[in-house]
Amino acid sequence: EVQLVESGGGLVKPGGSLRLSCAASGFTFSNAWMNWVRQAPGKGLAWVARIKSKPSGGTTDYAAPVKGRFTISRDDSKNTVYLQMSSLKSEDTAVYYCATGGGINGVDIWGQGTTVTVSS
Amino acid sequence: SYELTQPPSVSVSPGQTARITCSADALPKQYGSWYQQKSGQAPVMVIYKDSERPSGIPERFSGSSSGTTVTLTISGVQAEDEADYYCQSTDSRGTNVVFGGGTKLTVL
């Protein structure tokens, strides 16, 4: 069964840091492009970051609101993708979804999400 | 920045056809995808590459593209189709993944 399981969410103070993890199973993780997509309370979906597979160059891309503050990385030996978040702001409060794809075939597999709350 | 524009809401009666549009603000238009998100759940892809349907998605879901607009069509709408629908594409360089603002489909 294809599965993505996020973890690491929680409550953090403004200016703090948090690392999210996403464990993948049921498909060849090393060939997959991986994304983080977030959804603020009552709002729509917003793409956060993408990391391509190593065969595709392993490059990373970020949405403007998080560039310079967030870092996406992957460990193909653990079938896991990470999102290191720093200098967190209240507007980063959201459910964070891990998802595969992000190329011409869209974002095809989604996890159930992990909640990040930035508040003092 | 590249933007995708959707109507905030669409309402249809059961058995009718729902059409949700998504307009890109620039050419060239890249391939579009559509996602269904029911309340409290993760999104599910229903269309990719403008008109391709993933396995397991009912045939009543279809997609089309014309110019800078992609359209999701749901034929014979059922009560279970009530959800938020999001379009998605990438900018011309493929660098940024972009989502539309979402459309709430109400089944009357």
Side-chain angles (χ1 to χ4, degrees), chain B residues 54-77:
Chain B
S55 62
I57 299 302
E59 291 184 7
R60 64 180 182 274
F61 289 87
S62 63
S64 61
S65 175
S66 178
T68 59
T69 299
V70 291
T71 301
L72 173 68
T73 300
I74 310 172
S75 304
V77 167

Side-chain angles (χ1 to χ4, degrees), chain B residues 7-11 20 82-85 102-106:
Chain B
S9 63
V10 168
S11 299
I20 302 173
E82 187 163 281
D84 294 323
Y85 290 85
T103 298
K104 182 175 182 60
L105 176 66
T106 299

Side-chain angles (χ1 to χ4, degrees), chain B residues 93-104:
Chain B
R93 295 173 56 204
T95 303
N96 287 292
V97 176
V98 181
F99 286 93
T103 298
K104 182 175 182 60

Side-chain angles (χ1 to χ4, degrees), chain A residues 39 47 50 61 105-107 111, chain B residues 35 37 42 45 49 94-96:
Chain A
Q39 187 169 34
W47 174 75
R50 180 186 64 196
D61 295 291
N105 291 323
V107 181
Chain B
Y35 306 85
Q37 186 180 34
M45 174 187 278
K49 271 189 174 178
T95 303
N96 287 292

